[in-house]
Tab-separated table of all heavy atoms in Angstrom:
chain	number	residue	atom	x	y	z
P	1	SER	N	71.814	146.424	26.771
P	1	SER	CA	70.868	146.470	27.884
P	1	SER	C	71.592	146.863	29.189
P	1	SER	O	71.024	147.562	30.021
P	1	SER	CB	70.112	145.149	28.041
P	1	SER	OG	71.034	144.102	28.390
P	2	VAL	N	72.820	146.448	29.350
P	2	VAL	CA	73.615	146.798	30.516
P	2	VAL	C	73.975	148.301	30.449
P	2	VAL	O	73.873	149.011	31.437
P	2	VAL	CB	74.899	145.942	30.660
P	2	VAL	CG1	75.659	146.316	31.929
P	2	VAL	CG2	74.535	144.466	30.679
P	3	LEU	N	74.358	148.768	29.302
P	3	LEU	CA	74.724	150.195	29.122
P	3	LEU	C	73.472	151.075	29.378
P	3	LEU	O	73.611	152.164	29.926
P	3	LEU	CB	75.248	150.459	27.730
P	3	LEU	CG	76.700	149.988	27.485
P	3	LEU	CD1	77.027	150.076	26.016
P	3	LEU	CD2	77.656	150.819	28.331
P	4	ALA	N	72.306	150.573	29.031
P	4	ALA	CA	71.080	151.347	29.261
P	4	ALA	C	70.811	151.533	30.744
P	4	ALA	O	70.267	152.552	31.169
P	4	ALA	CB	69.889	150.666	28.598
P	5	ARG	N	71.255	150.569	31.555
P	5	ARG	CA	71.119	150.666	33.028
P	5	ARG	C	72.229	151.430	33.715
P	5	ARG	O	72.112	151.772	34.882
P	5	ARG	CB	71.062	149.244	33.631
P	5	ARG	CG	69.934	148.388	33.190
P	5	ARG	CD	69.803	147.074	33.998
P	5	ARG	NE	70.977	146.631	34.734
P	5	ARG	CZ	71.760	145.599	34.377
P	5	ARG	NH1	71.520	144.930	33.278
P	5	ARG	NH2	72.783	145.277	35.154
P	6	LEU	N	73.291	151.702	32.959
P	6	LEU	CA	74.480	152.289	33.573
P	6	LEU	C	74.283	153.746	34.023
P	6	LEU	O	74.735	154.110	35.069
P	6	LEU	CB	75.648	152.228	32.577
P	6	LEU	CG	76.961	152.774	33.052
P	6	LEU	CD1	77.490	151.961	34.264
P	6	LEU	CD2	78.001	152.734	31.916
P	7	GLY	N	73.595	154.535	33.224
P	7	GLY	CA	73.507	155.958	33.541
P	7	GLY	C	74.390	156.754	32.611
P	7	GLY	O	74.884	156.247	31.589
P	8	PRO	N	74.720	158.016	32.974
P	8	PRO	CA	75.442	158.878	32.048
P	8	PRO	C	76.869	158.382	31.764
P	8	PRO	O	77.620	158.113	32.709
P	8	PRO	CB	75.476	160.239	32.794
P	8	PRO	CG	75.086	159.945	34.179
P	8	PRO	CD	74.372	158.669	34.209
P	9	HIS	N	77.152	158.238	30.478
P	9	HIS	CA	78.460	157.753	30.058
P	9	HIS	C	78.681	158.105	28.596
P	9	HIS	O	77.730	158.490	27.901
P	9	HIS	CB	78.565	156.237	30.255
P	9	HIS	CG	77.670	155.464	29.332
P	9	HIS	ND1	76.308	155.272	29.645
P	9	HIS	CD2	77.841	154.930	28.125
P	9	HIS	CE1	75.773	154.592	28.652
P	9	HIS	NE2	76.663	154.353	27.726
P	10	GLN	N	79.889	157.948	28.149
P	10	GLN	CA	80.234	158.027	26.739
P	10	GLN	C	81.039	156.789	26.410
P	10	GLN	O	81.622	156.168	27.290
P	10	GLN	CB	81.061	159.304	26.445
P	10	GLN	CG	80.300	160.589	26.694
P	10	GLN	CD	81.200	161.798	26.475
P	10	GLN	OE1	82.431	161.721	26.420
P	10	GLN	NE2	80.586	162.943	26.378
P	11	THR	N	81.057	156.433	25.117
P	11	THR	CA	81.826	155.297	24.709
P	11	THR	C	82.733	155.638	23.565
P	11	THR	O	82.467	156.575	22.825
P	11	THR	CB	80.908	154.118	24.290
P	11	THR	OG1	80.112	154.513	23.206
P	11	THR	CG2	80.032	153.632	25.420
P	12	GLY	N	83.774	154.882	23.433
P	12	GLY	CA	84.711	154.943	22.282
P	12	GLY	C	85.099	153.548	21.980
P	12	GLY	O	84.603	152.590	22.617
P	13	LYS	N	85.987	153.345	21.077
P	13	LYS	CA	86.405	152.011	20.679
P	13	LYS	C	87.064	151.308	21.862
P	13	LYS	O	88.180	151.526	22.205
P	13	LYS	CB	87.368	152.087	19.496
P	13	LYS	CG	87.705	150.727	18.954
P	13	LYS	CD	88.579	150.854	17.710
P	13	LYS	CE	88.854	149.458	17.172
P	13	LYS	NZ	89.621	149.529	15.954
P	14	GLY	N	86.302	150.450	22.523
P	14	GLY	CA	86.798	149.697	23.677
P	14	GLY	C	86.947	150.510	24.940
P	14	GLY	O	87.498	150.031	25.912
P	15	CYS	N	86.432	151.761	24.930
P	15	CYS	CA	86.555	152.615	26.107
P	15	CYS	C	85.199	153.070	26.609
P	15	CYS	O	84.320	153.436	25.838
P	15	CYS	CB	87.380	153.853	25.782
P	15	CYS	SG	89.083	153.530	25.325
P	16	LEU	N	85.073	153.127	27.911
P	16	LEU	CA	83.895	153.655	28.594
P	16	LEU	C	84.344	154.863	29.374
P	16	LEU	O	85.302	154.774	30.167
P	16	LEU	CB	83.290	152.604	29.537
P	16	LEU	CG	82.103	153.018	30.368
P	16	LEU	CD1	80.888	153.257	29.489
P	16	LEU	CD2	81.806	151.932	31.383
P	17	TYR	N	83.730	156.022	29.154
P	17	TYR	CA	84.097	157.261	29.804
P	17	TYR	C	83.021	157.650	30.826
P	17	TYR	O	81.856	157.786	30.475
P	17	TYR	CB	84.231	158.389	28.759
P	17	TYR	CG	85.270	158.120	27.727
P	17	TYR	CD1	84.910	157.525	26.496
P	17	TYR	CD2	86.592	158.432	27.900
P	17	TYR	CE1	85.841	157.292	25.519
P	17	TYR	CE2	87.544	158.198	26.948
P	17	TYR	CZ	87.149	157.630	25.720
P	17	TYR	OH	88.084	157.374	24.757
P	18	LEU	N	83.442	157.820	32.072
P	18	LEU	CA	82.540	158.227	33.121
P	18	LEU	C	83.046	159.515	33.755
P	18	LEU	O	84.225	159.654	34.053
P	18	LEU	CB	82.470	157.177	34.236
P	18	LEU	CG	82.132	155.734	33.803
P	18	LEU	CD1	82.190	154.803	35.006
P	18	LEU	CD2	80.761	155.696	33.144
P	19	LYS	N	82.129	160.452	34.020
P	19	LYS	CA	82.505	161.663	34.698
P	19	LYS	C	82.745	161.422	36.177
P	19	LYS	O	83.768	161.803	36.735
P	19	LYS	CB	81.423	162.752	34.543
P	19	LYS	CG	81.354	163.400	33.181
P	19	LYS	CD	82.376	164.500	33.142
P	19	LYS	CE	82.116	165.321	31.859
P	19	LYS	NZ	83.208	166.253	31.611
P	20	HIS	N	81.779	160.810	36.812
P	20	HIS	CA	81.867	160.535	38.248
P	20	HIS	C	81.271	159.137	38.576
P	20	HIS	O	80.205	158.799	38.047
P	20	HIS	CB	81.093	161.592	39.070
P	20	HIS	CG	81.622	162.985	38.820
P	20	HIS	ND1	82.836	163.414	39.217
P	20	HIS	CD2	81.035	164.014	38.161
P	20	HIS	CE1	83.005	164.651	38.822
P	20	HIS	NE2	81.909	165.054	38.191
P	21	LEU	N	81.919	158.440	39.413
P	21	LEU	CA	81.479	157.085	39.759
P	21	LEU	C	80.110	157.059	40.409
P	21	LEU	O	79.333	156.144	40.194
P	21	LEU	CB	82.531	156.438	40.693
P	21	LEU	CG	82.677	154.939	40.666
P	21	LEU	CD1	82.818	154.398	39.272
P	21	LEU	CD2	83.799	154.523	41.547
P	22	ASP	N	79.778	158.086	41.200
P	22	ASP	CA	78.482	158.128	41.873
P	22	ASP	C	77.307	158.391	40.923
P	22	ASP	O	76.190	158.213	41.304
P	22	ASP	CB	78.477	159.150	43.011
P	22	ASP	CG	79.247	158.698	44.204
P	22	ASP	OD1	79.463	157.489	44.391
P	22	ASP	OD2	79.682	159.573	44.988
P	23	ASP	N	77.598	158.785	39.705
P	23	ASP	CA	76.555	159.092	38.729
P	23	ASP	C	76.047	157.868	38.002
P	23	ASP	O	75.065	157.962	37.249
P	23	ASP	CB	77.025	160.122	37.679
P	23	ASP	CG	77.341	161.489	38.303
P	23	ASP	OD1	76.899	161.756	39.435
P	23	ASP	OD2	78.026	162.262	37.631
P	24	VAL	N	76.712	156.732	38.149
P	24	VAL	CA	76.360	155.572	37.373
P	24	VAL	C	75.909	154.410	38.316
P	24	VAL	O	76.244	154.403	39.492
P	24	VAL	CB	77.527	155.057	36.492
P	24	VAL	CG1	77.913	156.143	35.464
P	24	VAL	CG2	78.727	154.644	37.306
P	25	GLY	N	75.189	153.472	37.709
P	25	GLY	CA	74.755	152.307	38.453
P	25	GLY	C	75.928	151.342	38.664
P	25	GLY	O	76.471	150.845	37.675
P	26	HIS	N	76.277	151.124	39.906
P	26	HIS	CA	77.449	150.252	40.193
P	26	HIS	C	77.209	148.815	39.791
P	26	HIS	O	78.168	148.145	39.346
P	26	HIS	CB	77.815	150.362	41.661
P	26	HIS	CG	78.416	151.694	42.008
P	26	HIS	ND1	79.238	151.863	43.063
P	26	HIS	CD2	78.357	152.922	41.392
P	26	HIS	CE1	79.627	153.140	43.109
P	26	HIS	NE2	79.091	153.762	42.082
P	27	ASP	N	75.962	148.329	39.900
P	27	ASP	CA	75.715	146.954	39.469
P	27	ASP	C	75.944	146.781	37.975
P	27	ASP	O	76.547	145.794	37.530
P	27	ASP	CB	74.262	146.524	39.804
P	27	ASP	CG	74.060	146.335	41.317
P	27	ASP	OD1	75.064	146.152	42.035
P	27	ASP	OD2	72.880	146.328	41.723
P	28	ALA	N	75.498	147.767	37.194
P	28	ALA	CA	75.692	147.717	35.728
P	28	ALA	C	77.192	147.814	35.399
P	28	ALA	O	77.695	147.108	34.539
P	28	ALA	CB	74.902	148.822	35.041
P	29	LEU	N	77.909	148.712	36.099
P	29	LEU	CA	79.329	148.856	35.854
P	29	LEU	C	80.086	147.572	36.186
P	29	LEU	O	80.929	147.088	35.414
P	29	LEU	CB	79.885	150.018	36.660
P	29	LEU	CG	81.399	150.289	36.512
P	29	LEU	CD1	81.753	150.580	35.067
P	29	LEU	CD2	81.777	151.454	37.407
P	30	ARG	N	79.751	146.967	37.306
P	30	ARG	CA	80.389	145.707	37.688
P	30	ARG	C	80.116	144.630	36.652
P	30	ARG	O	81.005	143.847	36.339
P	30	ARG	CB	79.877	145.229	39.066
P	30	ARG	CG	80.289	146.106	40.223
P	30	ARG	CD	79.687	145.598	41.532
P	30	ARG	NE	80.352	144.371	41.948
P	30	ARG	CZ	81.466	144.314	42.643
P	30	ARG	NH1	82.045	145.434	43.003
P	30	ARG	NH2	81.982	143.187	42.950
P	31	GLU	N	78.920	144.615	36.133
P	31	GLU	CA	78.533	143.593	35.135
P	31	GLU	C	79.341	143.825	33.826
P	31	GLU	O	79.848	142.871	33.240
P	31	GLU	CB	77.051	143.638	34.841
P	31	GLU	CG	76.586	142.545	33.889
P	31	GLU	CD	75.070	142.533	33.716
P	31	GLU	OE1	74.356	143.102	34.523
P	31	GLU	OE2	74.644	141.876	32.709
P	32	LEU	N	79.503	145.060	33.417
P	32	LEU	CA	80.259	145.350	32.228
P	32	LEU	C	81.734	144.875	32.391
P	32	LEU	O	82.316	144.285	31.494
P	32	LEU	CB	80.236	146.824	31.867
P	32	LEU	CG	78.936	147.347	31.271
P	32	LEU	CD1	78.940	148.844	31.226
P	32	LEU	CD2	78.764	146.787	29.858
């Protein structure tokens, strides 16, 4: 549910990949 609020991202084993910080929800990122 937190990832759904995050915005554009990719995941890998234990890794979260973001293109740009402004493209994602900072509250969701902080929570993760």
